[in-house]
Amino acid sequence: MAASMLLSEEQQLLRESARGFCREQAPISLHRKLRDSRDPDGFDRDLWRRMVDLGWSGMAVPEEFGGYGFGHLGLGLVLQETGRTLVDSPLIATVLLGANAILELGSDRQKAEILPRVVAGELLLAFALDEGALHDPARIEATAFATENGYALNGAKTFVLDGHVADRIIVVARVNDGSNGAGALGLFLIDAAAPGLEITRTIMVDGRNSANLHLSNVQVSADRRLGESATSPADLDRMLDIARVGLAAEMLGSIEEVFERTLDYLRQREQFGVPIGAFQALQHRAAEMYSEIELSKSLLRAALAALDDPVSDHRRIAKLASAAKAKLSEVFFLVSNEGIQMHGGIGMTDEFDIGFFLKRARVAQQFLGDAGFHRDRYAALHSF
Amino acid sequence: MSGEFKQFRLETRDWLERNCPASMRAPMPPEEVVWGGRDAEFVNPDSKLWLERMAARGWTCPTWPAEFGGGGLNPAQAGILAEELARIDARPPLTSFGISMLGPVLLEYGTLEQKLEHLPKIVRGEIRWCQGYSEPGSGSDLASLNTRADLQDGYYLINGSKVWTSYADKADWIFCLVRTDFEAPKHQGISFVLFDMASEGVSTRPIKLISGSSPFCETFFDNVKAPAANIVGRLNDGWTIAKRLLQHERTMISGFGLAGGQAEGGGASETTLESIAMRYRGDKGRLSNPVLRDRIAQFKIDSEAFALTSRRSAEESTGGGPNHISSMLKYYGCELNKRRCELLLEAAGNRALGWEGEGFDEEELSLAREWLRSKANSIEGGTAEIQLNVIARRVLDLPDLTGILREKR
């Protein structure tokens, strides 16, 4: 029988407490402050400490590695709430991407060594995959040449989230060890201070941290290769799908927030002597957004449940992950645009918060594959 | 799962294996749908057997109380029955507006006498019902209806006409909205009444539609007599029941949106949108038209999300019946079905545009008809625009312009 679409009491409590925390301790004003002050870290380390204390860094990490075993749904619920107030934090790069990559692709020794430190908030990670303007895991040109006791990495990486603040960076490269030619993928955990690694922070429209990396003969020992063996494209995809669903959860939170703010405005703002929300032209567009958001919620809930379901095969997870990322990208696009339009002139002002969601929407849409990328993948997964 | 449910599943599976005829486990052509009624036709004799066996257990209406002929199952058991029926691809033994619309409101608002009289006949498929709602001058503004019922000697004398009455020409009884108070504001003078379509003064005329078929009728009442006891609920409070019934109707119609939800099963079915598109293009493995491919993918994702939402809505409203999400499901499900039909036309190109004759096979001929029929989806049971109004007002709590303007006057 299919998993329930409803949240358990424990999960509802988790969501409520995460919502309360974000509202009180990580409101959008904090995001504005970080942006305005051109904060060198791009996030508030003190806030991150409190998030770690709440267990958010170990939400989806199994207890044997120091985590709390709330599963991907648990982390998803937290991300949904951080999406509501656009919290800048290492939650995506360090936890959703970094810890998840180690959990899915690392050896037991690597998991035991790194995961407890991530959960404890001692280590920040970044994940360096893409190399061009678009998300494309099939196009990896960075190389790892086998050396006497490890590998030498060369190449360039783009849009690496938290790349300039991470302590360790996971770099995806094609391995050339002389035996099976170039082709096999390898994921390498390198030190941010490694010689030959050049990190350039890029300032993005959403204010989140991002960086370009240039690797020139960066030396890494063999035991820093995740799993200490080749990673298949399918394994990489499986790990990316978990991150895509988590990102979709954050997007849903942002979408809900924009929509609720917009509805409030429709009820309050008066023109022609009536609240503008009484006009049918706006009511119907709001009702259409509501419908799209309800569908998005269901898709996301199913995708999160599939991640935690031990019997779901990867093909099913892949389909749901691409469906969720495609749909959430479309709906975030729709709702962020309507949010601006329905707020009218005030929505265009920097002083008003709604614009932050529009900016975040486009970056989130691109991140880990836009709607077109995922519809294409969904079609391929359905053999057409 | 508890032992009790496991036992129920095993018994159900066993009973279905022994009692569901083999021909009832094959896809159902439209002409074999069983609507029941006094003049019920069974194109396939197995359909009659299947109906009788299921009705004897009350499983045509699994959750209705046993005292009214229903199956008396709790929601969990009904879910298991549905799963077991799906497991063997069993056809629905009976399709009727009595099951999907009238029954649920009779259970909620009917008197004991009304329930005892009507529900068992619905369960057994003995009486086929039709819905007397829309009138020539009352479409989206349903509450402006003018068919009148005047009390005379213990009878209501009914005069007026209805339109878009589905299968009125084949129905035995009608549940009908009539005006019983002409002085009261429009929503407060309506009553919900039941009467026999064989009564003197009832006449029907089928309406031919753009699809060539005639599922709808005009229905005329000329001094039709209905016993006063046939009013359901309180006199002049019929609008409450009318709206409740509409929620059931919308939930039923939203099921059209599930037609495209093959994504979950995901088999290499010959009838999926993508396989049709590929077949007519001679494609193997990948659909060659990238634009159509993208739009089919988008449609399938939306279908899957819609099916999940229907399921979530059912889980959330356990026991409470349909809720306001029914308007959203009706709106979206109908839009999805229209999209599906349009995509099918594109998938099959000119082969989907045949009207009749030898040049096309049956599946191809059905594409155009189904496409034309689908245009009614967002009109019947409350237009798309009415559903959006309901969502905006009832779910999103947006202000009511008419109300504001009335106050200002």
Side-chain angles (χ1 to χ4, degrees):
Chain A
M1 205 158 57
S4 169
M5 296 290 288
L6 308 181
L7 292 180
S8 71
E9 202 169 317
E10 186 186 40
Q11 288 158 347
Q12 285 179 37
L13 279 173
L14 172 64
R15 187 175 65 182
E16 292 310 313
S17 88
R19 183 171 302 184
F21 177 86
C22 291
R23 286 246 186 284
E24 285 155 31
Q25 309 208 29
I28 297 186
S29 55
L30 183 64
H31 171 72
R32 178 181 293 280
K33 202 178 103 194
L34 289 165
R35 182 201 66 168
D36 289 349
S37 66
R38 292 187 164 73
D39 187 274
D41 284 338
F43 73 99
D44 183 329
R45 285 184 189 268
D46 182 52
L47 176 72
W48 176 236
R49 169 47 53 200
R50 279 174 276 148
M51 289 164 76
V52 166
D53 289 343
L54 283 174
W56 291 2
S57 53
M59 205 52 75
V61 176
E63 288 170 31
E64 58 179 310
F65 301 118
Y68 308 106
F70 268 83
H72 296 293
L73 177 56
L75 179 58
L77 292 172
V78 167
L79 284 165
Q80 208 175 318
E81 295 309 318
T82 61
R84 277 184 172 268
T85 60
L86 298 174
V87 180
D88 304 287
S89 86
L91 213 47
I92 303 267
T94 296
V95 180
L96 185 64
L97 286 160
N100 167 31
I102 290 161
L103 193 58
E104 291 295 317
L105 307 171
S107 66
D108 284 346
R109 198 181 48 75
Q110 288 163 337
K111 290 180 205 175
E113 181 199 329
I114 300 160
L115 291 176
R117 296 187 60 199
V118 169
V119 176
E122 294 166 15
L123 211 55
L124 295 183
L125 303 175
F127 188 79
L129 171 77
D130 292 321
E131 303 183 357
L134 296 157
H135 173 65
D136 189 359
R139 208 201 97 186
I140 303 293
E141 287 172 6
T143 54
F145 276 94
T147 61
E148 208 165 306
N149 45 15
Y151 300 88
L153 305 187
N154 284 283
K157 294 286 175 184
T158 54
F159 307 108
V160 179
L161 191 66
D162 284 359
H164 78 297
V165 284
D167 305 302
R168 306 268 177 82
I169 301 172
I170 298 166
V171 176
V172 185
R174 293 218 174 268
V175 180
N176 188 340
D177 58 8
S179 59
N180 55 353
L185 288 175
L187 274 71
F188 301 91
L189 189 67
I190 64 172
D191 208 282
L197 173 61
E198 199 182 301
I199 301 171
T200 318
R201 184 181 185 182
T202 47
I203 307 291
M204 305 294 288
V205 70
D206 68 340
R208 293 258 175 119
N209 284 330
S210 184
N212 289 335
L213 307 187
H214 194 83
L215 298 104
S216 129
N217 268 324
V218 175
Q219 302 295 313
V220 52
S221 60
D223 62 358
R224 288 304 179 91
R225 181 175 183 180
L226 294 194
E228 295 176 48
S229 65
T231 299
S232 72
D235 287 340
L236 177 63
D237 251 348
R238 192 184 73 228
M239 174 254 143
L240 287 173
D241 279 333
I242 297 174
R244 285 162 180 150
V245 175
L247 179 68
E250 191 206 42
M251 293 166 81
L252 177 62
S254 301
I255 289 167
E256 289 179 316
E257 183 71 20
V258 177
F259 186 54
E260 285 165 24
R261 284 170 181 247
T262 304
L263 285 178
D264 282 344
Y265 191 75
L266 293 180
R267 293 186 198 106
Q268 287 160 17
R269 169 71 175 170
E270 293 202 354
Q271 287 290 277
F272 306 102
V274 297
I276 59 172
F279 295 126
Q280 203 176 33
L282 298 183
Q283 288 190 342
H284 283 190
R285 278 153 60 193
E288 279 169 14
M289 282 193 272
Y290 164 79
S291 308
E292 297 291 358
I293 294 169
E294 287 301 308
L295 261 68
S296 303
K297 271 186 208 170
S298 312
L299 212 40
L300 180 71
R301 195 69 59 75
L304 285 167
L307 292 181
D308 287 328
D309 183 352
V311 301
S312 48
D313 60 284
H314 180 235
R315 204 176 164 80
R316 165 148 177 77
I317 288 177
K319 286 177 185 172
L320 277 169
S322 274
K325 184 60 175 55
K327 183 74 186 168
L328 271 291
S329 295
E330 286 172 28
V331 176
F332 204 177
F333 176 87
L334 170 75
V335 175
S336 60
N337 280 346
E338 289 285 59
I340 293 283
Q341 178 64 24
M342 290 185 181
H343 276 87
I346 198 167
M348 290 300 295
T349 63
D350 183 68
E351 191 189 340
F352 208 71
D353 290 336
I354 206 86
F356 285 140
F357 290 92
L358 178 71
K359 294 170 178 174
R360 176 60 193 150
R362 294 305 177 277
V363 177
Q365 282 168 240
Q366 281 299 325
F367 197 62
L368 301 177
D370 66 5
F373 173 94
H374 284 289
R375 287 199 296 266
D376 173 67
R377 183 167 179 257
Y378 184 88
L381 286 163
H382 278 91
S383 313
F384 71 96
Chain B
M1 192 181 299
S2 77
E4 182 200 344
F5 288 139
K6 206 168 176 180
Q7 184 64 24
F8 178 77
R9 184 183 291 277
L10 288 176
E11 283 169 12
T12 301
R13 185 174 294 183
D14 180 57
W15 187 87
L16 288 176
E17 281 299 346
R18 285 185 288 108
N19 289 281
C20 182
S23 72
M24 293 293 107
R25 306 181 192 194
M28 179 160 60
E31 66 274 14
E32 289 193 21
V33 173
V34 174
W35 289 89
R38 290 172 186 147
D39 308 319
E41 290 170 38
F42 296 95
V43 179
N44 179 340
D46 281 349
S47 303
K48 187 161 188 283
L49 198 62
W50 178 225
L51 170 60
E52 285 167 358
R53 288 173 176 172
M54 286 290 276
R57 307 206 82 178
W59 282 3
T60 49
C61 304
T63 58
W64 293 8
E67 59 177 316
F68 307 127
L73 303 186
N74 61 38
Q77 290 171 321
I80 291 171
L81 173 60
E83 284 171 12
E84 290 302 316
L85 285 164
R87 199 182 67 85
I88 58 168
D89 295 321
R91 296 178 182 181
L94 179 64
T95 302
S96 85
F97 301 142
I99 295 177
S100 53
M101 293 196 264
L102 178 64
V105 297
L106 272 188
L107 281 168
E108 199 171 339
Y109 298 98
T111 61
L112 181 63
E113 289 73 21
Q114 288 168 340
K115 291 178 197 177
L116 287 170
E117 181 187 351
H118 298 296
L119 294 176
K121 293 177 189 165
I122 292 174
V123 172
R124 295 193 296 265
E126 291 169 7
I127 292 293
R128 182 170 178 177
W129 288 85
C130 66
Q131 176 185 25
Y133 267 44
S134 294
E135 295 183 5
S138 304
S140 285
D141 185 9
L142 179 61
S144 69
L145 59 92
N146 274 314
T147 291
R148 62 186 302 148
D150 298 284
L151 192 59
Q152 269 182 24
D153 310 326
Y155 282 92
Y156 279 99
L157 210 54
I158 297 166
N159 282 287
S161 65
K162 295 284 174 182
V163 72
W164 312 124
T165 327
S166 302
Y167 305 112
D169 53 335
K170 299 186 173 73
D172 306 312
W173 275 65
I174 186 168
F175 47 92
C176 193
L177 296 179
V178 292
R179 188 158 299 283
T180 37
D181 185 342
F182 281 79
E183 307 302 319
K186 63 179 180 180
H187 293 97
Q188 289 155 32
I190 295 170
S191 297
F192 189 101
V193 66
L194 314 175
F195 54 92
D196 195 323
M197 289 290 278
S199 310
E200 202 175 318
V202 177
S203 58
T204 61
R205 189 158 67 201
I207 304 166
K208 188 173 176 183
L209 297 184
I210 53 175
S211 62
S213 67
S214 305
F216 300 113
C217 294
E218 293 175 279
T219 308
F220 305 94
F221 309 121
D222 182 14
N223 283 329
V224 177
K225 281 163 90 177
N230 285 13
I231 300 272
V232 180
R234 288 199 310 277
L235 187 68
N236 297 326
D237 192 27
W239 187 245
T240 307
I241 299 171
K243 280 193 298 181
R244 187 70 179 146
L245 186 137
L246 277 172
Q247 288 188 331
H248 291 286
E249 181 181 12
R250 286 164 186 168
T251 304
M252 174 190 72
I253 295 176
S254 76
F256 291 140
L258 298 172
Q262 314 122 324
E264 188 93 4
S269 164
E270 292 300 301
T271 57
T272 58
L273 202 39
E274 62 272 24
S275 63
I276 291 171
M278 285 160 76
R279 195 196 318 150
Y280 285 103
R281 283 163 183 75
D283 294 341
K284 292 267 177 288
R286 186 186 170 97
L287 179 54
S288 55
N289 178 334
V291 178
L292 182 58
R293 181 172 178 268
D294 185 65
R295 287 171 49 222
I296 291 178
Q298 189 174 40
F299 167 79
K300 286 175 77 83
I301 290 170
D302 287 343
S303 287
E304 192 168 356
F306 179 78
L308 289 164
T309 307
S310 297
R311 217 183 89 203
R312 180 163 63 90
S313 157
E315 285 187 34
E316 283 171 355
S317 71
T318 308
N323 45 26
H324 285 310
I325 209 173
S326 63
S327 279
M328 190 282 275
L329 294 175
K330 198 279 176 184
Y331 163 71
Y332 210 99
C334 292
E335 294 304 313
L336 265 182
N337 198 45
K338 289 195 299 177
R339 260 167 84 188
R340 185 179 65 89
C341 290
E342 292 288 1
L343 284 167
L344 279 167
L345 288 201
E346 284 188 58
N350 286 314
R351 302 292 313 170
L353 299 174
W355 184 248
E356 59 191 11
E358 295 301 306
F360 303 91
D361 66 28
E362 261 186 48
E363 182 194 89
E364 289 169 338
L365 287 176
S366 74
L367 291 177
R369 309 270 173 161
E370 198 187 345
W371 161 67
L372 288 163
R373 171 65 182 88
S374 75
K375 297 301 174 196
N377 293 165
S378 49
I379 300 169
E380 60 202 343
T383 61
E385 291 72 21
I386 288 290
Q387 306 310 323
L388 293 173
N389 285 350
V390 173
I391 296 169
R393 298 278 310 287
R394 306 266 171 252
V395 183
L396 304 181
D397 198 23
L398 289 171
D400 169 20
L401 188 60
T402 357
I404 295 172
L405 295 179
R406 198 181 302 131
E407 272 173 38
K408 282 187 186 261
R409 250 189 272 126

